[in-house]
Amino acid sequence: MLGLLASLITFSAHAEKRVALVIGNNDYKNVPKLQKAVNDARTMGETLKQLGFSVMVAENQTRQAFSETLLAFDKAVEPGDTAFFFYAGHGFEIAGQNFLLPTDVPAAGEGQEELVRDASILADRVIERLQNKKVRTVILVFDACRNNPFERSGTRAIAGGGGLAPMTQLPEGVFSVFSAGPRQTALDRLSNNDDNPNSVFTRTFSKELLQPGENLVQVAQHTRRIVSEMAETVSHKQIPVYFDQMVDDVFLNGRAKGQVDASKEATKPAEPPQKVAALPPVAPLRAPKDDSVNAPIAMFSRHNGGWTVVFSIADPTLGISWRIGEAGDFRETGFLDTLDPRTRKRMPNPSIELAADAPAATIQVRYVDTSGELQGPFPIKFDPEAALIHDQRKILDMTATSWLSFREFNGLLIYYTQLMSYRCAIREARIGIDSTVPDRVLKMPPCDIRDPNEIPHDAVPYLKLAPSTQFVSVELTYRDGSVSEIKSFRR
């Protein structure tokens, strides 16, 4: 079973209402039926009503009914709305794409993936449709990876072992949660005596959503911890994971804890839900004259000497300046020895350097446009720990073929120096020896944010293997809770 929570943010002048669609599919005709998906959808529907959503409930959807329901959801949401989509039922991954299975999906065998594609709903299309509606906040939960629904005893099933693919390539402003990691199955129940009507994930997640003062990250983190601990009581591995591409916090049930006195707040009438749930619009420091003015964005990169910050500005610029904080003089970034083809003038240097021990701060950036007018200043948040994790995660993604390497030295060794060098982005690394299921934890020293790439002298970045070892698989759980694809390395 998989639960995915994603939040797509499109800023709008209005934040009108909250709208939710919940779908539960139990009554499958050609693949195994489910027992709790409809109950999960009903529970989520009641939870969302308590959070101020107008809820549309649909059960046991055929392909045509599913499409018509999505069309009705399209019509119900408007620009500026907060939209919530929940699906419980069978889901399946084909070539990295996730499909939600209607109740009339045909049985499919080996080599018949196209039957499933054509008869199912592509999960990415749900995201695209809501993006096209320009809703302000979108939250999606997919509870859909109990097993491989196409497996049959004595036959060869369509490729897949249950579970959906991690949706890592999501736009900025997206938050996604999976109720189980890749290739993990999620529990409907803890034992034969477990009479809870909901799956282990949904019973937990629905309660966490109602906790006052928790943002979506906290909801996901608490759900992950509780679900994984419950699964461990029956010797099962189920670790919900989440991908955080959000630009700010989103609260569904009250403000952040500590902002107000909780006892006093309890006596006050509830504020309109959309004012709490949707991200507050970011007021520009100065109103742009036209649509060509865009706030800069920044990329942070950590190296031995400190930080390099590269600004990206959509408009042609004649100069860039910056400062730390709200006071003090702005400093020019200087110029490169090259011409900007858009202005035919020297190109402003888009980067600055910060010290290795630079504290968290707000960088104020401004630039001179082609008409000679000064634009900004624009604030850019610098969080050293978050920037380090993001930078190292990006490097790990780009260097996945170098995570492990075999060496022959007084026996067979497997080195994981690359992983140890970028360990600040890793919560846990697991390997499987001659197995596609990583079940052994690699030991790594703690992250030292002051010198993050240094490998301590007493650390051992290798393992001794049996001479007969043919391959090693590896899976990373990143600091944000997301899980990598399982990579295999052969001798």
Side-chain angles (χ1 to χ4, degrees):
M1 175 176 57
L2 172 138
L4 172 148
L5 174 66
S7 177
L8 307 173
I9 310 302
T10 303
F11 288 113
S12 172
H14 306 283
E16 296 298 332
K17 60 184 182 298
R18 294 181 175 187
V19 184
L21 170 62
V22 297
I23 296 176
N25 283 347
N26 276 347
D27 192 18
Y28 284 90
K29 298 176 176 59
N30 303 306
V31 298
K33 296 180 185 294
L34 298 175
Q35 296 181 350
K36 296 189 176 183
V38 169
N39 283 338
D40 289 343
R42 292 174 180 175
T43 295
M44 284 300 302
E46 292 301 316
T47 298
L48 294 172
K49 288 178 183 178
Q50 295 182 56
L51 293 171
F53 284 86
S54 298
V55 181
M56 304 164 57
V57 180
E59 300 174 1
N60 295 319
Q61 299 281 281
T62 63
R63 179 63 173 83
Q64 180 174 343
F66 209 136
S67 296
E68 292 173 351
T69 297
L70 288 175
L71 183 60
F73 191 39
D74 287 345
K75 294 179 179 179
V77 297
E78 299 173 339
D81 286 351
T82 294
F84 196 118
F85 176 85
F86 175 86
Y87 170 79
H90 278 309
F92 201 72
E93 176 264 328
I94 300 175
Q97 291 185 310
N98 295 322
F99 293 86
L100 312 181
L101 306 189
T103 57
D104 58 352
V105 66
E110 184 182 18
Q112 295 183 314
E113 288 84 0
E114 294 305 319
L115 285 178
V116 180
R117 288 179 187 267
D118 293 343
S120 303
I121 302 294
L122 180 62
D124 286 339
R125 280 290 296 137
V126 178
I127 298 174
E128 292 173 7
R129 291 167 73 145
L130 291 170
Q131 278 186 296
N132 292 338
K133 295 295 293 185
K134 297 182 179 179
V135 296
R136 186 182 182 189
T137 302
V138 183
I139 303 167
L140 299 101
V141 180
F142 298 146
D143 187 351
C145 64
R146 292 164 171 82
N147 50 35
N148 182 345
F150 301 105
E151 286 183 339
R152 294 290 186 276
S153 177
T155 65
R156 299 190 66 179
I158 183 175
L164 302 186
M167 299 176 75
T168 57
Q169 302 301 317
L170 293 172
E172 182 178 341
V174 174
F175 187 82
S176 61
V177 170
F178 292 74
S179 68
R183 285 155 294 277
Q184 293 178 0
T185 56
L187 296 170
D188 264 352
R189 56 185 179 175
L190 294 172
S191 70
N192 291 334
N193 297 323
D194 182 357
D195 58 359
N196 192 297
N198 296 122
S199 68
V200 173
F201 172 79
T202 296
R203 72 180 73 167
T204 305
F205 180 70
S206 59
K207 290 180 180 178
E208 286 300 317
L209 281 175
L210 294 175
Q211 293 298 318
E214 288 191 1
N215 61 34
L216 292 181
V217 173
Q218 293 168 322
V219 169
Q221 289 176 337
H222 295 166
T223 300
R224 177 178 60 195
R225 176 180 57 79
I226 295 170
V227 169
S228 61
E229 290 176 353
M230 293 171 68
E232 285 179 0
T233 64
V234 292
S235 301
H236 183 79
K237 183 179 180 181
Q238 179 184 344
I239 305 175
V241 296
Y242 68 91
F243 301 88
D244 185 4
Q245 299 291 343
M246 297 287 290
V247 296
D248 210 338
D249 291 335
V250 173
F251 297 88
L252 289 180
N253 189 21
R255 300 180 184 278
K257 294 178 180 176
Q259 288 186 353
V260 294
D261 185 296
S263 62
K264 294 180 180 179
E265 188 70 10
T267 64
K268 296 180 181 180
E271 294 187 14
Q274 62 270 19
K275 292 184 179 179
V276 178
L279 291 179
V282 178
L285 296 184
R286 73 188 298 269
K289 293 194 312 177
D290 53 53
D291 292 339
S292 68
V293 178
N294 293 288
I297 60 176
M299 181 179 68
F300 299 93
S301 179
R302 185 70 160 80
H303 49 80
N304 289 339
W307 292 93
T308 295
V309 186
V310 180
F311 303 119
S312 178
I313 303 173
D315 286 344
T317 62
L318 302 179
I320 303 171
S321 57
W322 65 285
R323 73 181 180 197
I324 298 291
E326 300 293 334
D329 296 331
F330 280 86
R331 289 176 281 178
E332 301 291 333
T333 62
F335 295 88
L336 303 177
D337 291 329
T338 186
L339 293 180
D340 187 335
R342 300 175 297 177
T343 64
R344 304 304 300 168
K345 298 180 182 295
R346 287 184 68 186
M347 182 177 291
N349 179 10
S351 67
I352 63 172
E353 299 293 323
L354 299 178
D357 58 353
T362 298
I363 304 173
Q364 301 285 347
V365 182
R366 63 186 188 182
Y367 65 90
V368 179
D369 64 20
T370 53
S371 64
E373 294 193 19
L374 191 63
Q375 303 294 340
F378 301 94
I380 294 176
K381 293 181 179 180
F382 170 58
D383 181 335
E385 184 174 0
L388 174 64
I389 292 170
H390 183 271
D391 182 48
Q392 291 202 352
R393 163 72 184 271
K394 181 176 61 177
I395 293 172
L396 287 169
D397 286 342
M398 292 188 299
T399 61
T401 57
S402 302
W403 288 354
L404 302 180
S405 60
F406 286 94
R407 295 287 188 274
E408 297 278 355
F409 183 77
N410 292 330
L412 181 62
L413 305 177
I414 185 76
Y415 274 83
Y416 54 100
T417 310
Q418 183 78 353
L419 298 181
M420 195 171 286
S421 297
Y422 299 102
R423 63 191 180 277
C424 290
I426 301 171
R427 174 174 294 151
E428 183 180 77
R430 288 178 172 267
I431 64 169
I433 300 174
D434 282 336
S435 171
T436 58
V437 180
D439 56 4
R440 177 174 177 177
V441 176
L442 288 177
K443 294 182 179 180
M444 286 191 283
C447 167
D448 182 358
I449 194 170
R450 296 167 300 179
D451 198 353
N453 299 114
E454 181 187 19
I455 298 177
H457 70 278
D458 57 347
V460 180
Y462 64 85
L463 289 176
K464 294 183 179 180
L465 302 178
S468 60
T469 303
Q470 296 300 309
F471 74 94
V472 175
S473 61
V474 61
E475 178 185 68
L476 305 183
T477 299
Y478 294 107
R479 285 279 297 277
D480 63 4
S482 60
V483 180
S484 73
E485 294 183 9
I486 294 178
K487 308 288 185 182
S488 291
F489 296 81
R490 295 187 175 276
R491 295 179 61 179

